[in-house]
Structures are given as structure tokens and as C-alpha cells.
Amino acid sequence: MRKGSTLLVEALENEGVDRIFGVPGEENLDFLESLRTSRIELVLTRHEQAAAFMAATHGRLTGRPGVCLATLGPGALNFSTGAAYAHLGAWPMILITGQKAVMSARQARFQIVDIVASMKPLTKMTRQIVSAAAIPATVRDAFRVAMEERPGPVHLELPEDIAAEEVESAAVVPVHPIDRPIAPPAAIDRAAAMFLASRRPLVMIGAAGSRPWLADALSAFVARTRLPFFNTQMGKGAVTGGSNLYMGTAALSEGDYVHEAVARADVIIAIGHDTVEKPPFLMKNAGGPKVIHIGFQSATVEQVYHPDIEVIGDIGASVEALATRLEGRLTPDEGMIELRQKILARLNDRAEEDRFPVTPQRLVHDVREVMPDDGIVCLDNGMYKIWFARNYRTHVANTLLLDNALATMGAGLPSAMMAAMLYPQRRVMAVCGDGGFMMNSQEMETAVRLGLNLVVVILNDSAYGMIRWKQAVDGFEDFGMRFGNPDFVRYAQAYGAKGSRVTAVEELVPTLEAAFAGGGVHLVDVPIDYSENTRVLVDELRNRKPGLECA
């Protein structure tokens, strides 16, 4: 006889789970006891939201679901933002929550919220487990659903009496590989014909192009076709940014320098574009470039995205087949190559300016200087995200993690903690605004307790900087966005971490180098000057003359 909780742990082990992140509660105690004697490590966090962010980042970086645990009611509801983060980002994750007994009601309605219903719009599947014997099949199905395209979160609710229920036997369901469907040759032929008829083709790589297993296929596609390419924010790094075919990243929806390449193109091949992202460019009904959509799934037709041709199937197989049809048959557009040099020159403008507080351009420049090619930078959400998307050059896939889908604050530190756990030999940096950092800053204790090597950069402007900037751009009075901060150096030290403060621009690189060299968790407080936001992202882009101002 085995308890339902033991069957659940065995099913998770069968799926290769080695860690579960979360905050257990009374309704999880049977599961916790079964977990205690298993091979799975419990990573205790200080808030359920951080646990969900860590599990989602595990899915993002490995392609296999991360698992997080919470109790019923308030604990489960704290998973909501993390579930939405994974759902919009398309990262596989399993959320396990407890519940009161379903066969009795000794505590009436105390703490009971319909979590299954609340998770329905935030997950791919949500299910209450009503029989211990059904647990192995339910878990296998949950992992399958979480991983199949489009990936995302799956929620399982385990009532405490089902966790304690004993059954004779219920064997785990073996894991088997599932091959993704392949696009039909006719669709590949149509796309190839449109490309061969074009004179100024351009490739865009979107969020679904950043699946961990696609890096080699996409890099080979660009190398074989010699096509210029740009990224969406979440497609950044899918192909090396060091390539001489890289045109830039669409950090804005229109009007930026990279959009000159979009305007020049007569055909754009959108690989893995997911319209949950803020649009990388706005399609026109007439007069704009034709668009070929290559994706695991059909395109979501939107007002700003309505492709002319779709190639639906495994992206890796599709781009390999397309490269075979195009290789050696395309004539490079010299005008696009010349435009690339102008675009990148503009992005490098003032990157070494010695103004203090530090400007965003200098921040990105100096972070790139201290991070090796395989170093991972995890961004929270704020104004700096646009600057990193535009200016930071990636050289290895999945080394700049940002969220351009839910775009939530508070995820930067937990996602960096997950990256540091997965890749302990690589440099990992969290870059957070002071507002976003404080939303999950309690996880500094978790990072220290876990013995992680992690540098946390806090951009300090004592305000919700992005919204304050938009408030000013839209002509509103400066109101409601300022706050006070703790002494971040002492705050870090209170958690057992190290802390440093940058007081001059020339201190930034040596301070970051020293933080990495010292090991452990190290917070670096960096005052930031966001006045460049308006000069560059509003005035300069609004007043430039396309094709000339880049020169």
C-alpha cells in the first residue's frame, strides 16, 4: 500500500524532476513527508511568487518543466503572476497546490478558494486530483501538455485526503519521446519561391525561436542563406549577435533605427514570432513587405500581424528544409549590409560617456565588458530593458533573459537565481530597478542560503522610472511615482550577502569584476540617469531623417 503523496513524488521522479520550489503549508504535509525521503530537493523560498518565477525560468532554460509547490488559498493565489508569466512566455511549468479534504468538510469553508477555476485562464490545463490511483497518469499527462507546443504552465491541485489515501498499486507511466509534426514540402516550396522572387529579404526571429534546442538549427540557417536578420526582444540571442548579418533588435514597435531595415525589406520571414510580445514592427495592409510566418503553430492574426504565407511544423526542420532550397541562390542586398553598419553605429553612440550617475548606454556597455560570452544576464522589468534589448550584443543563445510578454516586475532576481543553480560555473547577473527588486528582495536570503554565486545590480533612481518617463512624455505632471529606498549595501549585508555602491562611472567595471571574483551573493547599488530616455528614444528618433540620420 502506498499513499497518494508517495505516488505523486514517484511520478515526478519518473519525469526527471530534481528540484521543487515553494512554500509548503498544512495541506502539503503528506506530500512533504514523501518528498523528504525522495531524490528531489525542496528549495524553500520566501514567497510563492518567487518559486513560480524560478520554476518558469527552469522551463525556459532547459525546455523541461520546473515544478513549484504552494498550499491552498492565499499560497496558491500567490502563484497567479508566475503562472501568467509562464503562460504568456510559453515556458513549461508544473504548479502543485494543496486543498482541504474533498471527502469531508471538518473546517467548513475556511481558506477555501476555487483555485482550479482561478487558474483556468492562466494555464494550459488545471485539474484537481480526485483519486490517488489516477496520480501517475495525471502527472504524465500534465508534463506532456506543459511541454508540447505551445509550452506553458499546468496546475494540479492535491487535496489532503487524496494525498493521504492508500492504494494497492499504481505504476508510473513511462516517458516516451514525442516527435513534432513536420511542415509539408508544398508549404516550404511556397515560402522559398517568395524568397527567391524577392530582392531585399530580411529574417526576424521571435520568442518561439529561443527554444533551447533551436539554437544550432537557426544559426545554421543564417549561415547557409547569408540572410540579414533581426530579433524581437524575446528572440534575442537565438542566433549569435556577433554575426555580421545581425541588424539589431526591435526594442520599440516602430520608428527605431532597426525599422529602417524593416521598411527596406520586400519580404520578411518571421521565425517563431509570438504575438504575446509587444509588436516588433507594425504590418501594413498594403505597401509594406510580404511576411512569411514559420512557426510550431499557425499565426495568431492581429491588426498588426497578418502573414501572407505560413509554414507550420517543427521550426528546426522547417528552416533546415528552407535553407536547402535557398542556399547559394540568393544575392546579398548591399544596401541592407550598408544600413546595418549605420544602425549599429547609432546604437553604439555615447556608450563610453563618462557622465555620472551612469547613463543606460554606459551601463549596457560596461555589463557587456564584464560578462563572458556564456554569461547570463537576467532582467527585471523597467526602462533599462529597452536599452539592453537595443544595445546588448549576445553571443550565446539564452544569455539575455527578459520578459516582453507579461512584462512583470519582480521576476529578475528569482530568474537569475534559477540560472545560477542550473549553471554554477557561469557568471550570472540580475539587473533590477529599485522598484522591481524590492518586490521580491526577500529572496536574497534564499540565494544566500543556497550558496549561489550571483551578482545583483540595482539601478537606483528612487522611482518607478519607466512609468514616470511615460508620464512626462505624455505631458502629465510628475506625480505618484517617487519613493524612498533602504541603504541597499546594508540591506544586502543584513541577509548575509555582500554589498557595494558605485560612486563614479569609472568604478562600475572594477566593482562588478570584484563582485564576481569574490563569489557568493553580491549586490551592487548603481545610481542611474534616465534623462537619455527622452533624448534618444523620443527626440532623436522623432526628428531623424530615415536613411540619413544614421550616417
Side-chain angles (χ1 to χ4, degrees), residues 171-436:
V172 297
V173 179
V175 178
H176 64 277
I178 299 178
D179 294 322
R180 301 176 188 88
I182 304 297
I188 304 289
D189 290 340
R190 283 193 296 271
M194 180 175 281
F195 246 98
L196 290 171
S198 70
R199 303 179 68 179
R200 298 178 302 280
L202 180 65
V203 173
M204 181 186 80
I205 301 175
S210 284
R211 305 283 192 264
W213 61 87
L214 283 178
D216 290 343
L218 290 177
S219 297
F221 173 76
V222 170
R224 291 176 65 188
T225 61
R226 304 302 300 160
L227 287 167
F229 71 95
F230 73 106
N231 304 113
T232 70
Q233 290 189 41
M234 290 171 66
K236 192 175 181 72
V239 172
T240 171
S243 166
N244 60 8
L245 298 166
Y246 169 69
M247 302 293 293
T249 298
L252 306 175
S253 295
E254 57 184 336
D256 205 350
Y257 294 106
V258 73
H259 292 108
E260 292 198 27
V262 173
R264 179 177 177 82
D266 56 0
V267 171
I268 295 176
I269 181 169
I271 301 175
H273 179 47
D274 192 330
T275 57
V276 298
E277 282 206 75
K278 194 171 183 179
F281 72 98
L282 309 178
M283 278 189 67
K284 299 177 181 178
N285 290 322
K290 297 288 186 181
V291 173
I292 301 169
H293 174 87
I294 293 186
F296 293 108
Q297 296 178 312
S298 298
T300 303
V301 174
E302 304 282 356
Q303 180 181 353
V304 296
Y305 187 71
H306 38 85
D308 301 279
I309 290 178
E310 296 190 45
V311 179
I312 308 306
D314 180 81
I315 288 178
S318 294
V319 297
E320 182 180 3
L322 188 58
T324 298
R325 288 161 170 79
L326 298 179
E327 188 172 12
R329 302 178 65 188
L330 296 172
T331 302
D333 174 23
E334 295 298 330
M336 197 73 80
I337 295 172
E338 180 183 350
L339 181 58
R340 172 187 182 270
Q341 296 171 339
K342 295 177 180 179
I343 291 171
L344 298 185
R346 291 302 295 173
L347 295 182
N348 290 326
D349 184 42
R350 303 196 184 190
E352 299 183 63
E353 191 171 24
D354 60 3
R355 195 191 321 174
F356 191 81
V358 176
T359 63
Q361 300 98 308
R362 180 62 184 262
L363 170 75
V364 174
H365 173 275
D366 286 7
V367 168
R368 179 68 279 180
E369 186 172 329
V370 302
M371 296 301 286
D373 286 355
D374 68 348
I376 301 175
V377 176
C378 301
L379 304 183
D380 205 275
N381 201 64
M383 198 65 226
Y384 49 90
K385 183 181 76 172
I386 293 176
W387 289 98
F388 272 89
R390 291 174 93 236
N391 294 28
Y392 191 82
R393 296 290 295 277
T394 53
H395 303 287
V396 174
N398 289 306
T399 52
L400 179 66
L401 303 188
L402 57 81
D403 171 20
N404 190 37
L406 184 64
T408 179
M409 299 170 72
L413 175 59
S415 65
M417 290 164 58
M418 185 71 258
M421 293 180 74
L422 288 170
Y423 306 108
Q425 303 307 315
R426 293 161 69 172
R427 285 190 173 186
V428 177
M429 176 187 294
V431 178
C432 309
D434 44 9

Side-chain angles (χ1 to χ4, degrees), residues 24-32 69-73 97-101 107 110-111 158-161 163-164:
E26 178 184 345
E27 288 70 29
N28 306 122
L29 290 180
D30 278 294
F31 178 73
L32 204 64
L69 173 70
T71 188
L72 82 173
T97 63
Q99 187 54 276
K100 297 292 184 186
Q107 294 189 3
F110 175 65
Q111 280 198 312
L158 181 66
E160 57 183 333
D161 55 347

Side-chain angles (χ1 to χ4, degrees), residues 108-128:
R109 304 297 298 172
F110 175 65
Q111 280 198 312
I112 293 181
V113 176
D114 190 344
I115 298 300
V116 171
S118 74
M119 284 289 177
K120 199 164 188 177
L122 304 176
T123 59
K124 293 185 71 178
M125 181 176 80
T126 176
R127 182 179 297 176
Q128 184 186 73

Side-chain angles (χ1 to χ4, degrees), residues 467-483:
I467 308 305
R468 187 178 176 219
W469 171 67
K470 288 184 177 291
Q471 189 178 53
V473 168
D474 290 344
F476 294 105
E477 291 295 322
D478 186 356
F479 173 75
M481 301 297 166
R482 296 174 179 267
F483 48 71

Side-chain angles (χ1 to χ4, degrees), residues 45 50 58 103 134 154 215 234 258 284 311 430 439 450 506:
T45 61
H58 181 284
M103 304 302 289
V154 170
M234 290 171 66
V258 73
K284 299 177 181 178
V311 179
M439 291 184 179
L450 295 174
E506 61 271 13

